[in-house]
Amino acid sequence: MMKTTTKLGSLAAAVAIVSVMASCQDKEKTAATAKTSTATVSNDEKIVYVNSDSLLTKYQYFKDLKAKMEGKASAAEKDMAAKGQAFQREVAQYQQQQNTLPADQRAATEERLGRKQRELQSYQQNASSALQNEQNSENAKLYDKVADYLKEYSKKKGYKMVLTYSKGASAILFADESLDVTSEVIVGLNDAYKK
């Protein structure tokens, strides 16, 4: 059994090494093909990028949206905390009195408290879901605002593509800073938001 596992492990390692080597050769061919095909792209077809980190920290609409959503989340959290504390007080009061209550009243109170706990959990889930749905809706509006602005901006400037760049979470490994139009886009978005 041990020999079979070792042979399979060695075979898997060999297959992995061959796959990596083949992949590297394909990348070299693709890179060579890409170099020849990029020569046909005209200088008029500009591609620029926007740093999404800077965009989000400097776009006033996003700042206002973030503050609004944080306020709603905080209010919902306080509301849940208040409801939870009221429920805990009710449970504590019942626990103090349970030994003096008749069995039927004890059972009715326990049933009522159980129902109230389920309602509280359901309320919390619904509030959380509603907040998440609103956040998703607002994020979609934010995306649309930025995308619509960038469409118009690109038409005016003659850009064929506007990419997004984010340090550490981007498909772009390098971008010449002369292609960075973030500052100009932020100014335009903020001006449009003020109107």
Side-chain angles (χ1 to χ4, degrees):
M1 181 72 169
M2 186 67 164
K3 289 180 183 179
T4 305
T5 306
T6 305
K7 286 180 184 178
L8 289 176
S10 298
L11 181 61
V15 169
I17 290 171
V18 170
S19 297
V20 169
M21 290 173 66
S23 174
C24 288
Q25 287 174 350
D26 287 344
K27 285 183 182 177
E28 288 173 8
K29 289 177 187 174
T30 305
T33 306
K35 286 180 184 176
T36 57
S37 67
T38 55
T40 61
V41 176
S42 76
N43 289 336
D44 295 335
E45 295 183 36
K46 289 189 176 181
I47 296 175
V48 294
Y49 71 92
V50 174
N51 185 318
S52 59
D53 297 332
S54 297
L55 179 72
L56 293 180
T57 58
K58 295 178 182 174
Y59 183 24
Q60 193 58 47
Y61 176 77
F62 176 75
K63 290 179 188 179
D64 293 347
L65 176 62
K66 184 178 176 185
K68 172 184 158 186
M69 294 310 295
E70 285 174 351
K72 286 188 173 196
S74 177
E77 195 175 296
K78 287 177 184 173
D79 180 46
M80 280 308 303
K83 289 182 183 308
Q85 288 171 352
F87 178 72
Q88 289 301 324
R89 282 192 300 271
E90 205 171 329
V91 168
Q93 182 181 9
Y94 165 71
Q95 287 173 341
Q96 288 176 350
Q97 299 172 348
Q98 76 181 6
N99 292 334
T100 60
L101 295 174
D104 61 333
Q105 192 175 3
R106 217 174 31 240
T109 303
E110 287 173 359
E111 184 180 322
R112 182 180 57 78
L113 288 174
R115 187 174 54 250
K116 201 167 196 176
Q117 182 179 21
R118 288 187 299 278
E119 288 171 359
L120 189 60
Q121 289 170 341
S122 177
Y123 177 79
Q124 182 179 12
Q125 289 173 348
N126 291 339
S128 177
S129 179
L131 194 61
Q132 184 64 43
N133 289 340
E134 185 176 358
Q135 178 72 46
N136 291 341
S137 173
E138 292 295 341
N139 284 341
K141 288 177 190 175
L142 171 67
Y143 177 85
D144 290 343
K145 279 183 177 292
V146 172
D148 290 344
Y149 177 80
L150 287 174
K151 284 178 191 173
E152 291 301 315
Y153 176 79
S154 295
K155 277 184 192 174
K156 288 178 190 174
K157 297 289 186 171
Y159 299 139
K160 297 295 182 186
M161 186 180 294
V162 179
L163 304 173
T164 182
Y165 174 81
S166 177
K167 189 174 183 177
S170 178
I172 302 170
L173 298 177
F174 170 78
D176 189 312
E177 288 184 18
S178 66
L179 300 175
D180 186 356
V181 295
T182 307
S183 298
E184 196 174 332
V185 169
I186 291 169
V187 169
L189 280 168
N190 283 332
D191 288 346
Y193 178 58
K194 288 176 188 174
K195 293 179 183 178

